[in-house]
Amino acid sequence: MGSAPLSQPGAAADPGAAPAAGAAITLTFGHGQSEAHSFHQAALYFKQLIEERSGGAIAVNVQPNGALGDEKEMAEGLQMGTVDMVVCAVATLTGFDPALDVFNLPYLFESREQGIAVLDGEIGQGMFENLEGQGLKLLGFFDLGFRSMTNSQHPIAAPEDCKGLRMRTLQSNVLVEGLNTFGIDAVSMSFGELFTALQTGAVDGQENPISVIDASRFYEVQKYLSLTEHMYVVLPLLISTKTWEKLSADQQQMLLECAQETVQHQREENLANYEAELADLKANGMEVNEVDKAAFQAAIQPLYDTYAGQFGATVEKIRAVKG
């Protein structure tokens, strides 16, 4: 799946992320995005922080583009200790804990600020603590804002415009059902397969944050971007508990501090880059439109009714948090 974790350096890494010479510990840090994406820039920021503060005793081998596998495979790598650190979408983790699928309900959060407040607060921290028993320890949450829809057929302004569109989404039953509620034929597939599926017409569209749409050059195979902003994407930064337990108390504290600084840096960069990324999509030929969000929120209510027994109490707690 990748180079061995917590090993002497020497395994191949991309040129921008070569491990520091002489490091006693090398951490593999995997993600599924390109080198142009904020995930990669954040991983390199973390690498620089911890290598400097450890005096080179800890090195980081950053592996972008799903080089260590898709997100599910990387999360399983954390369990086994074959991967040290990963940032992934929460949908990847619902197989470990089905309660986390609540975060894939469309229009759960009113704002980015509310999403961050929930995740950094008691609700988010408590729900992700449950993963530690399965080998995954939470370090913080990255931010990409909200997911919006693109397609090759026509603009989406209201739910009725979704009908008949075949659209790739995350591997989440809740999100698939949510998109189906809008009339979309939702298909789960790994991110690594997506560009080709769009290019060949196997799917008409997809939904992702603006930064992912831009960094992945989806404008080459998609014409229409509709700002549905239907889901605030929850992106935990995780470390293998097998890796964590091999670190000394001082190393754990250093790593946690570097991770928290990296999270803050990534959030600031993502927010600062939004307008430029949106402008780049327009410059590359995408037609961008606003949508009737009230109509989408009304249309999704039957999904909340369906899941009221499973997620209702958590939804109430989340919506009581102010951003």
Side-chain angles (χ1 to χ4, degrees):
M1 185 176 295
S3 57
L6 285 173
S7 61
Q8 295 294 332
D14 71 87
I25 293 170
T26 298
L27 305 176
T28 56
F29 187 149
H31 66 85
Q33 297 297 327
S34 73
E35 291 90 339
H37 193 267
S38 70
F39 280 7
H40 192 64
Q41 300 309 312
L44 294 180
Y45 184 86
F46 172 80
K47 168 185 169 68
Q48 181 179 358
L49 282 181
I50 200 160
E51 288 182 358
E52 287 180 354
R53 292 184 189 176
S54 70
I58 299 175
V60 179
N61 179 0
V62 181
Q63 294 287 341
N65 293 308
L68 303 180
D70 62 26
E71 288 191 349
K72 182 174 184 292
E73 290 168 333
M74 286 191 283
E76 290 169 348
L78 292 178
Q79 280 192 305
M80 295 183 289
T82 57
V83 179
D84 297 305
M85 294 177 64
V86 169
V87 59
C88 63
V90 70
T92 305
L93 306 174
T94 56
F96 298 100
D97 185 354
L100 296 175
D101 221 5
V102 68
F103 291 116
N104 295 312
L105 285 167
Y107 296 104
L108 176 65
F109 294 112
E110 292 182 356
S111 67
R112 171 185 180 271
E113 292 75 18
Q114 184 194 29
I116 289 174
V118 167
L119 296 174
D120 288 352
E122 184 178 343
I123 298 171
Q125 298 300 308
M127 290 184 70
F128 281 86
E129 278 179 4
N130 296 334
L131 293 176
E132 286 197 34
Q134 299 186 65
L136 291 75
K137 178 177 176 60
L138 178 70
L139 297 173
F141 295 95
F142 280 4
D143 168 56
L144 292 183
F146 286 84
R147 300 174 74 90
S148 284
M149 299 180 189
T150 72
N151 79 94
S152 60
Q153 302 301 311
H154 54 253
I156 296 170
E160 52 265 29
D161 299 324
C162 295
K163 291 178 180 174
L165 290 174
R166 187 170 175 81
M167 190 173 289
R168 178 268 179 185
T169 190
L170 297 167
Q171 294 172 306
S172 159
N173 290 337
V174 168
L175 189 52
V176 167
E177 290 177 40
L179 296 180
N180 289 347
T181 300
F182 298 139
I184 291 168
D185 178 12
V187 181
S188 292
M189 68 173 68
S190 70
F191 186 79
E193 302 173 59
L194 178 53
F195 191 95
T196 300
L198 294 169
Q199 192 172 41
T200 61
V203 293
D204 299 310
Q206 60 85 52
E207 43 88 46
N208 256 304
I210 297 302
S211 61
V212 175
I213 296 168
D214 189 42
S216 302
R217 302 173 69 92
F218 287 154
Y219 49 75
E220 295 180 357
V221 287
Q222 297 279 270
K223 179 67 175 175
Y224 304 100
L225 167 59
S226 302
L227 300 177
T228 50
E229 297 185 332
H230 54 277
M231 193 180 83
Y232 180 79
V233 58
V234 175
L235 299 159
L237 173 63
L238 303 163
I239 187 168
S240 167
T241 57
K242 289 182 183 292
T243 300
W244 180 259
E245 289 165 0
K246 291 177 183 178
L247 300 174
S248 69
D250 287 346
Q251 288 172 332
Q252 289 176 347
Q253 183 61 29
M254 180 191 302
L255 188 145
L256 186 58
E257 289 174 0
C258 290
Q260 290 173 343
E261 289 181 39
T262 299
V263 164
Q264 188 58 36
H265 174 78
Q266 189 277 335
R267 289 174 177 179
E268 292 169 359
E269 289 294 301
N270 182 67
L271 191 60
N273 292 337
Y274 177 85
E275 292 298 337
E277 290 162 347
L278 191 60
D280 191 55
L281 294 174
K282 292 176 181 178
N284 279 284
M286 292 199 85
E287 293 184 15
V288 181
N289 69 280
E290 301 286 342
V291 308
D292 182 355
K293 287 186 184 175
F296 277 94
Q297 289 165 342
I300 203 64
Q301 188 54 48
L303 185 72
Y304 280 84
D305 295 339
T306 297
Y307 282 96
Q310 186 174 350
F311 297 138
T314 305
V315 168
E316 287 184 14
K317 289 179 184 177
I318 288 171
R319 290 186 165 169
V321 175
K322 303 303 178 186

